[in-house]
Amino acid sequence: MASSLSLSRAISARTSSSPRHGSYATSINRDLPPSTLSLSSSSSIRASSTSLSTRSSCRRSNWPLIARRPIRSAAIDTLEKAADITLLEKSINTIRFLAIDAVEKANSGHPGLPMGCAPLGHILLDEFMRFNPKNPAWFNRDRFVLSAGHGCMIQYALLHLAGYDLQIEDLKNFRQWGSRTPGHPENFETPGIEVTTGPLGQGIANAVGLALAEKHLAARFNKPDLEIVDHYTYAILGDGCQMEGVANEACSLAGHWGLGKLIAFYDDNHISIDGDTEIAFTEDVNKRFEALGWHVMWVKNGNTGYDDIRAAIKEAKAVKDKPTLIKVTTTIGYGSPNKANSHAVHGSALGAKEVDATRKNLHWPYEPFYVPEDVQKHWSHHTPEGAALEAEWNAKFAEYEKKYKDEAVELKSIISGELPAGWEKALPTYTPESPADATRNLSQQCLNALAKVLPGFLGGSADLASSNMTLMKMFGNFQKETPEERNIRFGVREHGMGAICNGIALHSPGLLPYCATFFVFTDYMRGAMRLAALSQAGVIYVMTHDSIGLGEDGPTHQPIEHLASFRAMPNMLMLRPADGTETAGAYRVALLNRNRPSILALSRQKLAQLPGTSIEGVERGGYIVSCNSTNNKPDVILMGTGSELEIAAKAADDLRTEGKTVRVVSLVSWELFDSQPDSYKESVLPSAVTARVSIEAGSTFGWLKYIGSKGKAIGIDHFGASAPAGRAYKEFGITKEAVIEAAKSLW
């Protein structure tokens, strides 16, 4: 069978500008099939990169040739006859109608992007990407991210055609209960989906993380005679992604880092939910990306300019020192006579009447969900080819293992996610005699100890490394010229940082990314953190300055509601350690929970090393730190987290001098404690003891389930104030005296 490339080259490329509005508008006769739309003689690809001067003279001379190609040819005239639809166009229309039919059956979804991007999707997946559909997790595969996740039916259609374990019945169940084809791509539901997308801009930022991971691993493990890490990251983003700030944050870093194996396609259809993007989005995206350090090209006709799409991808792959943005101008809802190029086709089913009209317009005589036999036969080549690609790589890696044993061991750990034996022994240990210290400093000790034994451990801060204490002292900075290093400088880009780390975590199971900022600034990155929880991406969030204890910076920087809000987030581990032992325990928990992100809320102020804390206790989420009761029925239970556990312990000491039996409980992680057997929870918080007091320098929201209706919660349910930490604690009643008073009021 002829290759897809030769099949596609048999079709003469059309160089028309696609029907557009505004300054690029070409009127569209909605009574005619797309093949009869008016054509323009303008160049199909415009190179707008600032690096034009660096191209070879041969490459430069090719551009005018593209512009001078004939507007129309005999081959195109032939194509206009419905009876002679080529295999390429039949395959492209198969993608379109699988999307149309799935959205129509569900009466829900976004058909416009799949209809417009079908040519790009076909050419990219069928002709350029390297993958094994029978092993979607093959390490050296190319990665694809649909940042415009609402158009996910194009991805599901492509995965089905390419031979992934996604059947026609799955497509028919689009957006239904228990379906493997949810309304937006979910990496944990569908084979072949790399990251979870939907909230716009997140996907392209994830793609930056995936490309960073490739560049980093290639720099560390490739050898002159054996290139073992070599794959591309491709992404499709739309106008909405371009408007979201997180995309610009991440793309700014991609340009700075020179991620040459990141190729992004901007689906330039100028339509969003509210209508034409001219109402709110008129910037020159190409110039912005040039300023960000990207190589930029423009395919003017993404509807039928097949060879121009190919040429752009080939040029992008030839650019090694910077990421590439290919602006591909398409018609949203291409082929729909009455809804194409309008917001009506963006987020709603076409409707039965318009589906029939579109079938006639695109000469598609088949029933819903039908894949023509010749299209099936063509796409079937990916199964044996993918297996061969993986087998070839496996043989190369076997040779690599023989020549470079130590590096192979590290890379296998990263690929498999299996942590090195005995890694926990690297964690520092503390005793009550160890000096008092801020948990952010104790965290740095843990980070640097773990960096020596975990080959996939890497991360950084949003311009606060010296305050978050997150530098790994034995490594340099990941930069364009030093990608093998493991300290990542994100700059003041919290949201981009979070989304990039999601991509790193989802690249390989053994990549263990952490990122850091002040706890209050999680407000800037909450969208990415929520997606980490949903995506089961085990990112570690090192969040310092965790309470009013940060002091003079005041209420703009003092988190209040943040602990409660993250405790409410599904699949997020919220840990607030009280000393060195609990900090070490928090890192152990975070590293063992690879399908669950973890937040470590850490103090700025110094805290004592407490007797009774333990790593094992942290793993339980809540445990007894001290108790002078002999019958599991103390007079009162005092509960705390983080810096307030010390306050609870001091209050207990005073109450015991008065003859009271007092239990002190650390509730370092509510999620872990709640997951314990009922018998264990009863042993820590016996139901017979209703005299309970909690203390935490944050919102009291949620504490009721632990203190009960008769208990007392000490906290802060209002904003903080600018003052030294000690004064703020006193003024807001976060004191030993307040705990003692509350306890006595319960007797």
Side-chain angles (χ1 to χ4, degrees):
M1 181 176 66
S3 71
S4 60
L5 188 57
S6 61
L7 283 167
S8 300
R9 280 178 174 165
I11 305 162
S12 297
R14 306 178 192 179
T15 61
S16 65
S17 294
S18 59
R20 291 289 308 282
H21 58 279
S23 59
Y24 304 111
T26 300
S27 62
I28 178 169
N29 185 334
R30 299 189 186 281
D31 297 324
L32 298 177
S35 56
T36 64
L37 298 179
S38 61
L39 301 175
S40 166
S41 61
S42 59
S43 170
S44 294
I45 303 179
R46 175 175 297 171
S48 55
S49 170
T50 54
S51 65
L52 280 172
S53 61
T54 64
R55 295 186 187 136
S56 67
S57 58
C58 177
R59 175 45 121 178
R60 284 199 300 271
S61 67
N62 286 338
W63 288 101
L65 294 177
I66 294 175
R68 291 197 298 268
R69 283 184 299 183
I71 297 173
R72 188 176 286 273
S73 70
I76 290 178
D77 291 333
T78 302
L79 281 171
E80 290 176 348
K81 299 178 182 178
D84 291 333
I85 295 177
T86 65
L87 179 56
L88 173 67
E89 292 201 338
K90 186 185 284 188
S91 180
I92 290 170
N93 281 336
T94 300
I95 297 165
R96 287 187 176 120
F97 280 99
L98 286 175
I100 290 169
D101 295 338
V103 172
E104 196 67 24
K105 186 175 186 295
N107 194 29
S108 176
H110 301 72
L113 183 149
M115 295 168 72
C117 285
L120 168 60
H122 177 285
I123 291 169
L124 176 63
L125 201 75
D126 186 45
E127 300 180 20
F128 286 93
M129 287 188 62
R130 294 160 53 90
F131 56 89
N132 181 2
K134 301 309 177 187
N135 181 15
W138 171 43
F139 168 73
N140 205 40
R141 68 192 181 277
D142 289 335
R143 271 73 169 173
F144 173 76
V145 175
L146 183 64
S147 189
H150 55 274
C152 57
M153 266 311 306
I154 188 175
Q155 198 167 8
Y156 299 151
L158 287 166
L159 291 172
H160 168 72
L161 291 173
Y164 285 81
D165 184 19
L166 203 63
Q167 309 305 317
I168 281 291
E169 286 304 312
D170 294 314
L171 304 190
K172 291 180 179 179
N173 287 326
F174 179 52
R175 290 188 164 220
Q176 303 308 300
W177 178 263
S179 170
R180 303 171 77 208
T181 49
H184 290 85
E186 297 173 3
N187 62 293
F188 51 92
E189 289 284 0
T190 312
I193 301 296
E194 300 288 351
V195 299
T196 298
T197 62
L200 296 176
Q202 294 286 338
I204 182 61
N206 295 164
V208 172
L210 291 168
L212 180 154
E214 194 278 342
K215 185 179 179 80
H216 172 70
L217 295 176
R220 282 177 61 184
F221 295 107
N222 283 349
K223 303 296 181 181
D225 61 329
L226 281 173
E227 191 173 54
I228 205 70
V229 182
D230 177 23
H231 50 265
Y232 282 82
T233 301
Y234 300 96
I236 293 178
L237 65 160
D239 290 304
C241 295
Q242 293 286 15
M243 296 184 217
E244 288 286 358
V246 64
N248 197 69
E249 288 184 22
C251 290
S252 173
L253 283 166
H256 170 73
W257 290 327
L259 301 181
K261 288 188 176 178
L262 172 61
I263 300 174
F265 302 89
Y266 167 29
D267 177 27
D268 170 43
N269 62 45
H270 279 241
I271 296 294
S272 62
I273 291 177
D274 280 353
D276 196 300
T277 55
E278 286 182 348
I279 62 176
F281 187 59
T282 55
E283 67 190 49
D284 189 325
V285 173
N286 284 8
K287 288 183 178 179
R288 173 159 62 88
F289 270 76
E290 287 176 2
L292 294 177
W294 287 56
H295 177 70
V296 179
M297 289 178 284
W298 181 11
V299 176
K300 283 190 171 182
N301 175 17
N303 296 331
T304 56
Y306 312 130
D307 280 346
D308 299 333
I309 293 172
R310 293 188 189 97
I313 298 173
K314 289 177 181 177
E315 179 170 332
K317 294 187 72 173
V319 176
K320 305 296 186 182
D321 62 340
K322 58 178 65 177
T324 294
L325 179 78
I326 304 174
K327 176 180 173 181
V328 184
T329 298
T330 67
T331 300
I332 190 170
Y334 180 87
S336 170
N338 303 298
K339 294 187 176 182
N341 203 35
S342 76
H343 67 94
V345 77
H346 180 277
S348 301
L350 292 178
K353 184 177 180 180
E354 188 66 12
V355 170
D356 288 343
T358 304
R359 274 184 154 77
K360 292 176 182 177
N361 196 35
L362 292 177
H363 311 293
W364 193 252
Y366 306 106
E367 62 187 22
F369 296 102
Y370 183 77
V371 178
E373 185 177 348
D374 50 353
V375 172
Q376 286 183 332
K377 183 179 180 181
H378 169 70
W379 279 91
S380 66
H381 74 88
H382 287 291
T383 296
E385 287 181 7
L389 286 170
E390 182 173 358
E392 179 185 356
W393 185 85
N394 288 338
K396 183 184 291 188
F397 188 73
E399 183 181 356
Y400 186 90
E401 282 187 287
K402 294 177 182 177
K403 289 187 175 182
Y404 308 104
K405 294 181 180 179
D406 292 342
E407 291 92 333
V409 168
E410 288 197 353
L411 183 56
K412 286 178 72 174
S413 173
I414 290 170
I415 293 173
S416 69
E418 184 176 344
L419 300 179
W423 67 270
E424 306 101 318
K425 296 177 182 178
L427 287 166
T429 57
Y430 304 90
T431 69
E433 290 70 42
S434 299
D437 207 345
T439 50
R440 62 170 175 163
N441 294 332
L442 301 167
S443 165
Q444 185 179 44
Q445 295 171 17
C446 292
L447 278 173
N448 277 272
L450 291 167
K452 298 175 182 177
V453 297
L454 298 176
F457 203 48
L458 75 167
S461 169
D463 198 50
L464 288 170
S466 60
S467 193
N468 299 140
M469 312 305 290
T470 48
L471 281 179
M472 293 180 284
K473 298 177 181 178
M474 68 289 297
F475 297 117
N477 295 328
F478 176 93
Q479 295 288 0
K480 183 176 183 178
E481 303 302 328
T482 55
E484 71 279 3
E485 300 292 354
R486 287 158 66 178
N487 286 304
I488 305 175
R489 303 286 192 167
F490 290 102
V492 189
R493 301 181 183 91
E494 292 88 357
H495 202 179
M497 172 179 70
I500 288 169
C501 283
N502 288 349
I504 297 172
L506 293 171
H507 181 279
S508 296
L511 284 177
L512 312 170
Y514 66 88
C515 59
T517 186
F518 290 173
F519 193 27
V520 76
F521 295 145
T522 54
D523 289 344
Y524 282 126
M525 57 187 293
R526 184 174 298 269
M529 296 174 77
R530 186 178 188 275
L531 276 177
L534 177 61
S535 304
Q536 303 172 16
V539 179
I540 301 173
Y541 302 103
V542 181
M543 298 299 159
T544 68
H545 297 62
D546 68 340
S547 73
I548 59 168
L550 66 87
E552 294 84 350
D553 277 339
T556 60
H557 285 51
Q558 293 168 346
I560 299 295
E561 74 281 12
H562 296 71
L563 288 166
S565 71
F566 283 112
R567 287 166 178 160
M569 186 176 286
N571 201 43
M572 179 67 76
L573 277 177
M574 181 71 249
L575 300 115
R576 189 167 183 246
D579 64 1
T581 299
E582 286 201 345
T583 301
Y587 272 102
R588 187 176 192 277
V589 164
L591 288 165
L592 289 174
N593 281 270
R594 300 314 311 139
N595 294 324
R596 195 173 188 180
S598 302
I599 303 171
L600 278 62
L602 305 169
S603 74
R604 178 180 185 247
Q605 71 273 34
K606 289 185 177 182
L607 305 178
Q609 310 293 347
L610 301 174
T613 57
S614 71
I615 289 177
E616 296 74 20
V618 173
E619 292 174 344
R620 295 274 202 169
Y623 64 102
I624 300 169
V625 174
S626 67
C627 184
N628 63 334
S629 167
T630 58
N631 57 1
N632 202 33
K633 195 175 180 181
D635 294 324
V636 65
I637 299 174
L638 307 181
M639 292 171 269
T641 72
S643 46
E644 290 72 66
L645 186 62
E646 180 182 355
I647 295 174
K650 289 180 177 179
D653 289 341
D654 285 7
L655 288 169
R656 288 167 186 155
T657 63
E658 299 178 13
K660 300 297 182 182
T661 55
V662 184
R663 175 171 294 179
V664 177
V665 171
S666 170
L667 279 177
V668 58
S669 172
W670 293 11
E671 300 78 28
L672 292 175
F673 183 69
D674 290 348
S675 68
Q676 300 304 310
D678 289 342
S679 58
Y680 176 77
K681 290 185 282 189
E682 177 67 18
S683 73
V684 176
L685 299 176
S687 54
V689 181
T690 59
R692 302 180 182 187
V693 179
S694 67
I695 181 167
E696 186 172 66
S699 171
T700 60
F701 185 81
W703 276 103
L704 182 64
K705 68 177 178 179
Y706 300 116
I707 63 173
S709 60
K710 297 181 180 180
K712 297 281 187 180
I714 298 172
I716 307 172
D717 291 312
H718 48 76
F719 291 117
S722 179
R727 181 65 181 271
Y729 267 73
K730 181 178 179 180
E731 294 294 337
F732 293 136
I734 311 298
T735 63
K736 176 185 72 172
E737 291 74 21
V739 175
I740 293 171
E741 181 182 351
K744 289 182 176 180
S745 73
L746 300 175
W747 296 328

